[in-house]
Amino acid sequence: MHAFLQQLPALIGVVIGALGSYVAIVRGDRARFRRERTARWEERRLEVYAEYARTLKKSVTLTYRVASHLGNDPHPHPLNLTEAEPLLAEATVGRDPSGEALILLGSPQVVEQARVWVTAVMEMERFMRTETHDPDAWRELMDRQRAGREGYYAAVRDDLALPPGHSGRWLTVPE
């Protein structure tokens, strides 16, 4: 028994060391799991945010083209409304699932900015469908759409902790 008592401090040290190693490994694995899970969700949110922007931009481009046909926009590839209608319907149908994914995974600020942007685009679509020739009114709608897009991208960058990016506005070069 005397030999056991002499070995007891060493045995206690081994048990404490083993428990300490176990706790450190478990805590490290939990922290790594949380970091990986956060990274996966951030990647997924970025995909959803980018997909929503792409689908919305399809509608925007089509409205520019029809507005060009009506003499409201300088887009180089005009398209009449009859030819654009099926393309607009397709763009809207494509926009719906990406909007639902955005609502599901997006932060409240991003979803709100997406609502502002899509509302401006829908107003552009309504204006275009009236086949009105009013370049000044069209320019106002374009400015609202661009501001909506800027707000959306700013909210996305803020949500994903990305650095500030380009506004997307191109300077016109005088001829």
Side-chain angles (χ1 to χ4, degrees):
M1 183 73 168
H2 183 60
F4 177 73
L5 289 177
Q6 287 178 335
Q7 299 289 342
L8 191 58
L11 185 58
I12 291 173
V14 168
V15 169
I16 290 173
L19 286 174
S21 293
Y22 174 76
V23 168
I25 288 170
V26 167
R27 291 186 81 181
D29 284 349
R30 283 185 186 164
R32 184 173 30 114
F33 174 76
R34 281 192 299 270
R35 280 192 310 271
E36 289 173 357
R37 183 181 59 194
T38 299
R40 278 194 308 272
W41 280 112
E42 283 182 359
E43 287 173 13
R44 182 66 183 125
R45 279 198 330 266
L46 178 59
E47 289 173 21
V48 166
Y49 293 163
E51 179 61 23
Y52 184 75
R54 275 191 297 276
T55 59
L56 198 53
K57 190 63 178 165
K58 286 179 186 177
S59 297
V60 170
T61 301
L62 287 167
T63 61
Y64 285 176
R65 292 182 67 193
V66 174
S68 175
H69 175 76
L70 299 171
N72 293 320
D73 192 277
H75 194 283
H77 305 289
L79 183 66
N80 70 48
L81 186 57
T82 305
E83 293 171 355
E85 279 298 342
L87 300 172
L88 285 163
E90 183 181 318
T92 301
V93 167
R95 182 167 77 209
D96 288 345
S98 65
E100 291 302 315
L102 178 76
I103 291 169
L104 178 66
L105 296 177
S107 73
Q109 295 80 13
V110 172
V111 172
E112 176 57 25
Q113 288 302 315
R115 185 196 63 74
V116 170
W117 188 17
V118 75
T119 300
V121 172
M122 290 169 31
E123 288 176 18
M124 290 172 70
E125 290 171 344
R126 273 193 295 277
F127 179 88
M128 170 208 62
R129 283 189 172 96
T130 64
E131 298 189 44
T132 304
H133 176 74
D134 187 350
D136 292 332
W138 177 253
R139 202 168 4 269
E140 278 183 38
L141 288 172
M142 282 183 15
D143 289 343
R144 287 186 52 218
Q145 181 275 140
R146 287 178 178 144
R149 180 183 67 184
E150 283 180 38
Y152 175 76
Y153 286 147
V156 166
R157 287 185 189 104
D158 186 52
D159 183 42
L160 298 176
L162 299 173
H166 193 278
S167 69
R169 292 186 186 250
W170 300 106
L171 299 176
T172 56
V173 179
E175 295 181 24

